[in-house]
Amino acid sequence: MRATLERAALLKALAHVHRVVERRNTIPILANVLLKAADGALKLQATDLDLEIVETTPAEVAQAGATTVPAHTLYDIVRKLPDGSQVALEMAGERGQLTIRAGRSRFTLQTLPDSDFPDLAAGELPVRFEIGAAELRRLIDKTQFAISNEETRYYLNGIYLHVAEAGGASLLRAVATDGHRLARVELPAPAGAKGMPGVIVPRKTVAEIQRLLEDPDGQVAVELSATKIRVSFGQAVLTSKLIDGTFPDYNRVIPTGNDKRLTVDRAEFASAVDRVSTISSERGRAVKLSLADRRLVLTVTNPDSGNATEEIEVDYESEPLDIGFNSRYLLDIAGQLEGDTALIRLADPGSPTLVQDRDDAPALYVLMPMRV
């Protein structure tokens, strides 16, 4: 195998594939990236047996061939090479070593046979649709923060992607929840998405798709079945297993009767919450919201270090209400809102609260209160 290519092109491809590789592996071949040179291109492939990324980049191929080398080591070498350099990859003889040359630098890496490299067979993927990269990125960005880290409730360890009917229109919805907060974002369903199964895309896959979509221009091809998803964008193809579980009926926790409307300046509210929560302890991040006529008082009390209060002017005309929230969750949600104001709908101190940019906004957030 002999191939030469631009450092920048190789680094970009490696940046996408090497992250799939776990730092610690009991199976040696899974620590490697598969390099396949043929027909004027170098194909790079990495997998952890649940997730696979393949990326193709143009290269001058003097001799076709394939091998596997340690992914993180190769990435670190290419990352440290000078900008604009040409990288030559060469494997000669039976010694099982790959030589990397660039300028005056020369590296030799141990290899493992490409025939041992596992392939993540996707099988039939009957549902296929195209979606704008910016739209898919938005679905992920606005919901990812609410994915649960609790391994026992594995069916919450991802984003639930499905098509729902509302008001006579088909909507593609992304939902994530950890039991304390819920994020739901929707957009008009793309052609071909109708009839797709509801799928739970795992957290690691979600993060890798997000990184692939660095360029907001262009279309993404999404193919899926009940057990696998494939996302193709540019020269990269990501294939992943899905979480085998049933996502809970999230509509049951979205309140419909919250009659107390609070409208706040989003940036002012987030800054005030951030300031008063400086006092809160790591364990108890509760901030109390005391609402009265056109006035909101934020209070944090920490028996160990003191207390903090801040008052801001708001648009609120219902009866007075005291309610507590986890300050970090409030800040996470405020960070996702896009408008200048936030609309918060409350019921009572023990019921879920609804947060949106405005009425009928495509993004909706539910937050469970805390006892304060």
Side-chain angles (χ1 to χ4, degrees):
M1 176 181 121
R2 282 217 316 276
T4 308
L5 69 164
E6 282 273 339
R7 170 200 175 259
L10 180 57
L11 184 64
K12 184 183 175 189
L14 276 170
H16 288 155
V17 301
H18 92 282
R19 282 186 298 244
V20 175
V21 178
E22 297 289 346
R23 286 279 177 186
R24 293 201 179 109
N25 267 306
T26 50
I27 307 168
I29 195 81
L30 292 183
N32 283 14
V33 58
L34 172 65
L35 305 175
K36 204 177 269 186
D39 306 324
L42 179 70
K43 185 170 116 177
L44 298 91
Q45 183 173 340
T47 183
D48 65 0
L49 297 182
D50 289 324
L51 171 63
E52 169 190 278
I53 294 185
V54 181
E55 182 145 353
T56 310
T57 187
E60 289 175 29
V61 180
Q63 185 182 346
T67 188
T68 78
V69 289
H72 292 292
T73 308
L74 179 61
Y75 173 71
D76 285 340
I77 289 170
V78 175
R79 184 170 57 83
K80 292 173 184 178
L81 291 174
D83 279 345
S85 55
Q86 292 283 319
V87 183
L89 306 171
E90 186 176 345
M91 186 159 167
E94 297 299 309
R95 288 185 305 156
Q97 290 184 325
L98 178 77
T99 304
I100 302 155
R101 285 192 182 86
R104 296 182 181 183
S105 304
R106 183 173 178 276
F107 301 86
T108 308
L109 293 181
Q110 294 295 338
T111 66
L112 289 172
D114 60 292
S115 54
D116 292 352
F117 199 83
D119 207 17
L120 191 67
E124 276 291 301
L125 298 166
V127 177
R128 187 184 190 283
F129 60 88
E130 288 204 347
I131 181 172
E135 292 180 311
L136 182 57
R137 178 78 193 244
R138 188 169 181 279
L139 283 180
I140 291 172
D141 288 350
K142 300 283 175 203
T143 53
Q144 188 185 28
F145 74 95
I147 295 175
S148 173
N149 293 315
E150 214 177 299
E151 299 300 333
T152 50
R153 297 162 82 185
Y154 64 92
Y155 48 84
L156 298 181
N157 294 159
I159 291 177
Y160 181 48
L161 205 59
H162 63 296
V163 170
E165 299 293 327
S170 286
L171 300 166
L172 179 64
R173 270 186 188 163
V175 182
T177 182
D178 60 5
H180 304 290
R181 60 217 167 138
L182 177 143
R184 189 196 79 189
V185 182
E186 59 194 20
L187 49 83
K194 216 168 182 186
M196 72 172 264
V199 297
I200 308 171
V201 186
R203 188 194 308 113
K204 184 176 177 181
T205 304
V206 165
E208 291 311 321
I209 293 173
Q210 193 179 35
R211 289 186 182 117
L212 282 184
L213 305 178
E214 291 156 347
D215 178 6
D217 300 324
Q219 291 289 106
V220 183
V222 179
E223 299 165 84
L224 48 84
S225 66
T227 56
K228 299 258 170 62
I229 185 168
R230 175 174 287 158
V231 174
S232 310
F233 183 60
Q235 298 299 312
V237 180
L238 176 148
T239 309
S240 169
K241 292 178 181 174
L242 296 165
I243 292 175
D244 182 14
T246 305
F247 200 80
D249 180 6
Y250 64 88
N251 284 311
R252 284 181 27 218
V253 299
I254 298 175
T256 53
N258 287 14
D259 55 350
K260 297 180 178 67
R261 290 170 64 97
L262 162 67
T263 306
V264 296
D265 179 292
R266 184 184 63 82
E268 186 186 11
F269 176 68
S271 299
V273 171
D274 193 28
R275 277 191 290 273
V276 296
S277 64
T278 313
I279 290 290
S280 65
S281 64
E282 274 303 308
R283 263 201 1 259
R285 293 173 173 272
V287 55
K288 184 166 99 174
L289 278 63
S290 301
L291 284 156
D293 193 30
R294 308 191 73 79
R295 198 167 61 99
L296 166 63
V297 179
L298 300 159
T299 312
V300 171
T301 305
N302 183 348
D304 300 326
S305 59
N307 56 54
T309 62
E310 182 156 343
E311 184 178 315
I312 56 175
E313 277 187 32
V314 296
D315 185 356
Y316 180 79
E317 293 173 353
S318 303
E319 62 257 29
L321 174 72
D322 286 0
I323 188 167
F325 294 108
N326 180 310
S327 58
R328 188 164 56 83
Y329 294 169
L330 267 181
L331 289 170
D332 284 346
I333 290 173
Q336 302 307 321
L337 298 175
E338 294 171 338
D340 293 333
T341 59
L343 171 61
I344 302 171
R345 296 189 201 182
L346 308 122
D348 57 65
S351 298
T353 294
L354 201 60
V355 185
Q356 284 176 288
D357 278 312
R358 59 184 188 282
D359 287 314
D360 303 320
L364 170 151
Y365 304 96
V366 180
L367 186 56
M368 294 300 293
M370 286 178 79
R371 286 167 66 180
V372 282

